[in-house]
Amino acid sequence: MANKERTPFENPVVEWVDSRLPVFTLMQKEYGVFPTPKNFNYFWNFGAIAMFMLITMIVTGIVLAMHYTANTELAFDSVERIMREVNGGWLIRYIHMNGASFFFIAVYIHIFRGMYYGSYKAPREILWMLGVLIFLLMMGTAFIGYVLPWGQMSLWGATVITNLFSAIPFVGDGIRTLLWGGFSVDNPTLTRFFALHYLLPFVIFAVVFLHVWALHVTGSNNPLGIDTKGPQDTLPFHPYYTIKDTFGLLVFVLIYALFIFFMPNALGHPDNYIPANPMVTPAHIVPEWYFLPFYAMLRAITFDIGIPFTDIVFINAKLGGVIVMFGSILLWFVLPWLDTHPIRSARFRPLFKIFLLILVADFIFLGYVGMQTADAKLFGVVPLIYLGQAATAYYLAYFLVILPWLSKNEKGRELPASINEAVLAKNK
Amino acid sequence: MTTIKADDVKRRDFLQLTAGGFGIVGVIAAATPLVNSLNPAKDTLALATTEVDISTIPPGEGRTVTWQGKPVFIKHRTPEEIKEAEDVNLALLGDKEIDSDRVKRPEWLVAIGICTHLGCVPTGQKMTEARGDYGGWFCPCHGSHYDTSGRIRKGPAPKNLAVPPYEFISDTVIKIG
Amino acid sequence: MRKSLLTLMVLAASVSSAGLAQTAMAATGEVHLEEQEWGFDDFFTGTYDRAALQRGYKVYREVCAACHSMKRIAFRHLADFGYSEAQIKNIASEYSIEDGPNEDGDMFDRSGRPSDYFPSPYPNENAAKAANGVAPPDLSLIIKARHDGANYVYGLLAGYEEPPEGKELAVGQYWNKVMPGHVIAMAAPLSDGMIAYEDETPETVDQYSRDIVEFLAWAAEPEMERRKRWGINVLIFLAAFAGLMYCVKKKIWKPVY
């Protein structure tokens, strides 16, 4: 089918291959001449950066897997052997370890971009939902990956998180046992987590493929949030955005390298350099930084939900926390239907912009709360738990109340006629 | 869009070539440690010696020990076997080596027990095993025959059994590697 | 330009919030650690002091090794201290290593080789626990396994005090101002003059502590010097590459505007 529209290539080898399997035509169409809005800012780099991080993680991960042993007796030692004896092993492990953090940094910025410029709105709902799915898969992969070194945080993080599943009514205990393969987090758990940690990145890769496919059907959103109206609004992807993405990527990698080589353990926890001990829980267990806001929302639910002044409880605190934590991400799936305002970009929605930036601050604050002990107080006075509850309430209200309300009531500013006009006006 | 001037194109070409060069250097630099990590690790290399007590091996018998993960044949040769090994007409050999170059002490032959054809372990270490037509070792995979000096005499193997580096620490202990 | 600044700010914010995480974590410990100056701590150019490493190893060997294992360190690793192969062979041969089983199925002792790892003082963790009440931790990773590890270990060794008025300590318990909870099962291990140094280095608890910390820091991160050296090269390369790409980008985009 595609053969009919094919223009022949000059190089005879390329032409020979392409006339049989039009991969070059495909690349040319999707990454060469692909029309891309000409007004991207640097926020649009983070998709490519996330892609780079995924590939980095897969490549270093495969090499690490060749040296790693998934057995509770040997896992910690095998990781230390990578650090000390394998040629350049410390470098590969530090790239992988910090890579998880930098993958999340790139993806969080990418998600923020999507929220700020309304990239989730029609016709890009499926593109957005695939992105949320990727984020969920990343969280799962990162969590089980953190278990593999079998340090104290590995064991106790895994214990706490797998115990969350026991909150689910009726089937919870069964699910937990299924995850454990025993009576606690132990050797069977570690072995299956390793298998899953190897598998999931390829699942992510497949969903990323769908994500990019969906992107190339609808085309990219842009900082103005208005549709492209013709060739005057776009540029071919290559060389304009290949070059710009490479530049942005290099700046990102520069900061990433600063961590790898000069503070490789700054984002980790010292307790994970103590071999796992099922008899002793560390004094203060915290998840990795990228989970902290969600961890704070989990801990914010300290109360049962039921009929007041009776003993009737519908949802106990444990289940409530789990629902809020998972719900806080699942809400993103329906974001396109919570925010139905016709204007995409926050540039033309002053009220929306304020509430969204508050949400970002709220989310970072939740991360701070998640890092502290359960009984911590802000400035030694205000119990953090209440502030965490307030922050959780704002988070939920933003999606469930503020966005639907703004959709109906915010007027918004006048949109420019076209991308080209806006670009020309700006450069006057 | 404005038209691109000729000197613009030139400068772009130069810049892009340099950038491309940087890219290639970067990719190679990143790939090197990944590939190098597949080489033997430092602890693997450090364990590259094995010490063996040979006082308990009677004449005519052999002992197989592990060195660098490979079987090493230590054979206590009888006077007849030594004579056989020494008297061979070099012209008959595929891989011409005299016996005295292959041993440090004539009673003891030390050789890596891996057939030089495709890597099987030949039989012949025990009295009960097949030793081939030349009284040394016989490789069951593709029928290579080795003599009492571990030299290839018949069959597809191209070379004699390799002699590992070793030394006699005392009359009863040898160190391989 | 404004937008690229915004991007950088976002990046900086993510990085600094991560930094905040560290300080906040450190702040949750109840004890205050005094910041010491360590040559290996220098951000870009940290190196280990070879002489201090050799002295620190002597302190470990003569004092700490009585109770604390360091099972991830092999004699061959001591090459990092500037020892020659012959010196390392010599050091290793001074140790007795259990090997086996031999052909009769028995374990036997032989003298150490460079490829051997430091022998542990106790055959297993239960034996360590039985002898000490609490199993003394392995020291191979101790600097990385504690918040602010170098200052912590130094502070701990120098932090032994009489318990405050009214505090009763059980037998086998000691008071240390740096230990979380202040009660520690290890008696003050060092005293002035207990280890003889071969040169003029002062034989004081303070100097012993500094040397042992240097040695343990190396044991936890033996790759550190090479890591930082490579890091400098990588940063220079990336900065030059990024600058170059910026020029390419500007050139290519010029006709668009």
Side-chain angles (χ1 to χ4, degrees), chain A residues 155-326:
Chain A
L155 171 63
W156 293 101
T159 302
V160 168
I161 301 298
T162 49
N163 270 316
L164 288 182
F165 288 90
S166 69
I168 303 168
F170 309 118
V171 294
D173 284 332
I175 292 176
R176 187 179 60 178
T177 309
L178 217 55
L179 286 171
W180 284 351
F183 307 107
S184 62
V185 176
D186 206 339
N187 197 50
T189 328
L190 180 62
T191 329
R192 67 194 55 185
F193 274 19
F194 178 56
L196 290 173
H197 188 69
Y198 207 118
L199 168 71
L200 284 179
F202 296 98
V203 177
I204 292 176
F205 199 86
V207 183
V208 166
F209 178 80
L210 297 178
H211 187 69
V212 173
W213 185 7
L215 173 73
H216 282 229
V217 170
T218 61
S220 295
N221 186 28
N222 64 79
L224 295 172
I226 56 177
D227 291 330
T228 54
K229 299 206 167 69
Q232 73 281 4
D233 287 344
T234 64
L235 291 169
F237 190 80
H238 179 76
Y240 294 97
Y241 286 111
T242 44
I243 298 290
K244 192 178 176 183
D245 280 349
T246 310
F247 167 63
L249 174 68
L250 284 168
V251 174
F252 185 84
V253 172
L254 193 74
I255 299 168
Y256 178 25
L258 200 67
F259 273 80
I260 293 169
F261 289 100
F262 298 100
M263 36 184 173
N265 295 303
L267 298 169
H269 198 289
D271 279 15
N272 226 28
Y273 283 108
I274 303 172
N277 181 352
M279 298 298 126
V280 183
T281 309
H284 177 36
I285 60 169
V286 278
E288 291 283 78
W289 68 266
Y290 36 79
F291 292 137
L292 288 173
F294 301 102
Y295 189 58
M297 289 194 249
L298 169 79
R299 293 198 307 186
I301 310 303
T302 50
F303 45 86
D304 297 337
I305 297 163
I307 300 173
F309 313 114
T310 65
D311 287 340
I312 300 167
V313 172
F314 297 130
I315 299 172
N316 63 25
K318 184 176 176 184
L319 179 59
V322 172
I323 291 174
V324 167
M325 184 178 73
F326 284 110

Side-chain angles (χ1 to χ4, degrees), chain C residues 199-218:
Chain C
D199 54 14
E200 300 302 303
T201 314
E203 292 164 6
T204 59
V205 170
D206 179 75
Q207 187 61 41
Y208 294 150
S209 307
R210 279 175 200 285
D211 292 343
I212 190 73
V213 168
E214 189 95 13
F215 171 69
L216 293 176
W218 164 82

Side-chain angles (χ1 to χ4, degrees), chain A residues 41-42 46 76-77 84-85 90 94 240-241 247 250 254 258 261-262 266-267 270 273-274 347 371 426-427, chain C residues 3-4 7 18 21-22 43 72-73 76-77 117 144-145 219 223 227 231 238 242 246 252-253 256-257:
Chain A
N41 56 30
Y42 277 99
F46 285 91
F76 192 92
D77 290 346
R84 290 159 192 273
E85 308 294 352
W90 55 267
Y94 279 155
Y240 294 97
Y241 286 111
F247 167 63
L250 284 168
L254 193 74
L258 200 67
F261 289 100
F262 298 100
L267 298 169
Y273 283 108
I274 303 172
R347 279 194 191 171
M371 196 163 58
K426 203 179 119 196
N427 292 312
Chain C
K3 277 164 230 147
S4 54
T7 315
Q22 279 315 100
F43 192 82
R72 296 177 204 289
I73 308 298
R76 66 193 153 85
H77 293 149
Y117 287 80
K144 266 208 245 186
E223 88 295 343
R227 190 179 72 214
L238 286 172
Y246 184 71
I252 284 182
W253 278 77
V256 176
Y257 294 126

